[in-house]
Amino acid sequence: MNKVIIWICSLLSISTFAQENFKVYYEENENGYKIYANNGEFCPVSVEIDFKIENLSSSIGDIKIIEVPAQTTKFYIADLTVIDRRKALRLGFSVRYNHGNHLQTSFDKDYAYHLPFKKGAEYMVTQGYNGTVSHHNEYALDFKMPIGTAIYAARDGKVVLVEQSFNKTCTEQDCAKFNNYILVYHSDGTFAEYTHIKKGGAKVQPGEMIEKGQHIGYSGNVGWSTGPHLHFIVFLQRFRDRETLPTKFLVGNGKQITQLEEKKKYSKSY
């Protein structure tokens, strides 16, 4: 081969996980290059790769979105094959990535979630779907809870991320960066986030499998919050945002399934 121009791979993470947990890289071979990915996250990660190449042909075209399975090393992405060995090469690519399957559209719409608190308790939903305070165009629920209330898993899943280091609270949206939370990945590709947990309030850790009804943490009043509560959402992850999803819950003795409404109290006796 003659001159080879290699760009440093530009990695752009749109999520909150560390860059060292996910990377795209290449290895040279006799025909050109192979592109691989390592995913150290506890859920699949979607990567969009944009090739900028000359005198190389890509086995997947210029731009492609690929789902990389959780805890995967050297996951094959593409072959870049030399077209003319007498000419210079140019190899460059940029990627963006985020948790989950960016292309996913289907999920279990009829799943019956458990209320995220202990048996025998009752709490009010102070802000529901498309709420006027902070739930604009969002399927999100706020359960009014005193600080230190035990939080229970609404569904089985794997813990992906835990943030519990913050203690700052304010009512401005900029304070969302101080939110403490537990992020859980479900078997149907959806995620649940339990937000505003108190500092040091998680009882689970990333990589842990949890069961529906398991005690996972304690509520708080941390981050973007107007008072002590648990913020709960279920969503499909997109590169730059989240597609929040409506949910149904078992209420009362667990025989009734309903969509929760704002300003109503719900009890759990199952």
Side-chain angles (χ1 to χ4, degrees):
M1 297 182 194
N2 290 335
K3 186 177 181 181
V4 181
I5 301 174
I6 304 290
W7 291 358
I8 299 298
C9 179
S10 172
L11 293 175
L12 175 61
S13 169
I14 313 299
S15 190
T16 51
F17 59 86
Q19 262 191 18
E20 60 265 24
N21 288 345
F22 187 86
K23 71 174 183 177
V24 176
Y25 58 98
Y26 64 87
E27 290 184 358
E28 188 173 1
N29 58 41
E30 60 182 10
N31 297 315
Y33 303 89
K34 284 188 180 291
I35 311 298
Y36 298 102
N38 291 349
N39 178 15
E41 291 293 307
F42 293 108
C43 67
V45 168
S46 286
V47 56
E48 181 180 61
I49 185 163
D50 183 4
F51 288 115
K52 304 294 184 183
I53 55 178
E54 293 179 5
N55 197 26
L56 291 166
S57 63
S58 166
S59 61
I60 60 171
D62 293 332
I63 300 178
K64 187 74 173 181
I65 296 173
I66 296 167
E67 182 183 10
V68 182
Q71 298 289 288
T72 302
T73 301
K74 206 170 184 178
F75 181 82
Y76 170 77
I77 299 290
D79 280 291
L80 300 179
T81 304
V82 177
I83 298 172
D84 188 341
R85 293 183 177 275
R86 298 167 298 178
K87 297 181 179 180
L89 305 177
R90 184 189 191 197
L91 167 58
F93 56 88
S94 62
V95 300
R96 62 174 180 165
Y97 53 93
N98 209 338
H99 288 130
N101 181 356
H102 172 78
L103 300 176
Q104 179 177 341
T105 56
S106 62
F107 59 95
D108 187 355
K109 297 180 180 180
D110 296 319
Y111 186 86
Y113 287 81
H114 275 203
L115 291 167
F117 46 82
K118 69 179 181 180
K119 181 179 179 180
E122 180 182 70
Y123 295 99
M124 176 181 286
V125 175
T126 54
Q127 188 179 189
Y129 296 160
N130 301 301
T132 57
V133 179
S134 59
H135 296 179
H136 307 299
N137 301 313
E138 183 180 48
Y139 293 110
L141 298 167
D142 284 349
F143 296 89
K144 185 178 181 180
M145 291 178 172
I147 295 173
T149 300
I151 299 169
Y152 290 77
R155 183 174 181 174
D156 301 341
K158 177 170 280 191
V159 179
V160 175
L161 287 173
V162 172
E163 175 57 71
Q164 57 178 332
S165 65
F166 297 118
N167 201 33
K168 181 180 177 64
T169 304
C170 65
T171 58
E172 289 77 36
Q173 187 171 358
D174 286 347
C175 266
K177 61 178 178 278
F178 299 116
N179 287 346
N180 288 337
Y181 57 85
I182 298 169
L183 180 66
V184 178
Y185 179 68
H186 303 142
S187 60
D188 66 348
T190 61
F191 294 84
E193 187 175 281
Y194 304 75
T195 315
H196 306 303
I197 66 172
K198 73 176 189 177
K199 183 177 181 179
K203 288 181 62 65
V204 294
Q205 58 187 353
E208 184 177 341
M209 291 296 301
I210 60 173
E211 297 180 356
K212 180 167 54 180
Q214 179 179 333
H215 182 195
I216 61 172
Y218 295 95
S219 68
N221 184 32
V222 179
W224 181 21
S225 177
T226 58
H229 73 284
L230 171 68
H231 178 84
F232 178 83
I233 57 171
V234 174
F235 62 93
L236 290 171
Q237 183 67 67
R238 305 308 183 200
F239 280 123
R240 295 191 179 276
D241 57 17
R242 294 169 167 182
E243 181 185 341
T244 56
L245 307 171
T247 49
K248 299 174 183 177
F249 287 82
L250 297 172
V251 297
N253 61 8
K255 294 182 179 180
Q256 181 183 356
I257 302 173
T258 189
Q259 184 170 296
L260 305 189
E261 297 180 33
E262 187 171 295
K263 307 304 181 186
K264 287 190 176 182
K265 289 184 177 181
Y266 295 93
S267 62
K268 179 180 180 182
S269 57
Y270 53 88

